[in-house]
Amino acid sequence: AEYMGTRLLMATERLVELLHDPRLVDAVVGLLPIVGGFVIGHFSSSATKSPWYHALEKPPWQPPSLAFPIAWSILYLLIGFAGICILRARRMAVCALEDDKLMPALNLTWYLWGLQLVTNFAWTVMFFMCRAIIVALVDLLLLLLFVCALVYMLYSTRLYWAAAALVPYIAWLCLAFSLNAYIVAHNRSTK
């Protein structure tokens, strides 16, 4: 029993060390959008095969089905990259004891990054699982606003590469908004 207690204590201490390892935290943040996107993509992929989705009138400019997993894979990589940039900037600001204005701005940037990711994942749940296409459209509008605010904050905190990395995300969200808005306008009675 004493041996098991010692092993458990050693394992707990190692876990605490790992949680303080910036490389591990960066890896988790970088992989979170990719893994979350994969899980969400699995649900939306099966939902696109449903009779409900096939019955929806879709816009003529909707990209082919194959474009969605390719685009989202690239976008989730870019979102993960932006998250890692924010974390590293926060770490450097703490280590360098930067002026009082930078850390609150970096914290806001970090919160916006998390908020946009949650809102992003929520869209799939609203649209495909709940079939709440109007709520999904509102979610998409909020997501677009959050990402625009995030890009602004990234730029204002001098994280230029991270800001630039999210520009294609904004373009894709504008396309997604137009697709969702068309579906809302042309499928009022669909549930």
Side-chain angles (χ1 to χ4, degrees):
E2 184 178 327
Y3 174 76
M4 288 299 286
T6 304
R7 298 286 293 168
L8 183 61
L9 181 61
M10 288 171 51
T12 305
E13 287 172 350
R14 180 68 182 135
L15 181 61
V16 168
E17 285 175 23
L18 284 174
L19 292 175
H20 286 88
D21 183 350
R23 293 171 301 179
L24 179 67
V25 174
D26 288 353
V28 169
V29 166
L31 290 173
L32 182 64
I34 297 164
V35 172
F38 177 78
V39 171
I40 290 292
H42 172 72
F43 289 114
S44 65
S45 148
S46 57
T48 58
K49 297 174 180 90
S50 73
W52 170 80
Y53 183 74
H54 282 288
L56 292 174
E57 185 181 337
K58 295 170 202 73
W61 64 88
Q62 179 165 324
S65 298
L66 184 61
F68 290 92
I70 293 169
W72 279 114
S73 296
I74 294 166
L75 293 172
Y76 284 132
L77 279 170
L78 295 173
I79 292 166
F81 168 75
I84 291 169
C85 288
I86 297 165
L87 278 182
R88 288 184 176 176
R90 290 175 78 224
R91 260 189 244 117
M92 288 190 325
V94 167
C95 290
L97 299 173
E98 294 279 341
D99 63 280
D100 293 337
K101 293 179 184 173
L102 183 60
M103 201 57 189
L106 287 170
N107 286 338
L108 176 59
T109 307
W110 177 243
Y111 297 136
L112 282 168
W113 184 86
L115 190 58
Q116 68 77 30
L117 193 61
V118 169
T119 309
N120 178 311
F121 293 157
W123 182 88
T124 301
V125 173
M126 294 299 122
F127 189 91
F128 288 111
M129 296 174 190
C130 299
R131 299 179 180 174
I133 58 178
I134 295 172
V135 175
L137 183 64
V138 171
D139 177 90
L140 202 47
L141 179 61
L142 289 172
L143 176 57
L144 194 52
L145 292 172
F146 293 150
V147 175
C148 287
L150 175 59
V151 168
Y152 173 80
M153 290 303 299
L154 287 166
Y155 188 81
S156 70
T157 55
R158 297 185 178 147
L159 295 172
Y160 302 122
W161 284 106
L166 295 184
V167 171
Y169 185 25
I170 291 173
W172 186 260
L173 290 175
C174 289
L175 172 66
F177 186 83
S178 74
L179 297 173
N180 198 156
Y182 183 97
I183 289 171
V184 166
H186 292 85
N187 297 278
R188 295 233 179 237
S189 62
T190 307
K191 173 67 179 146

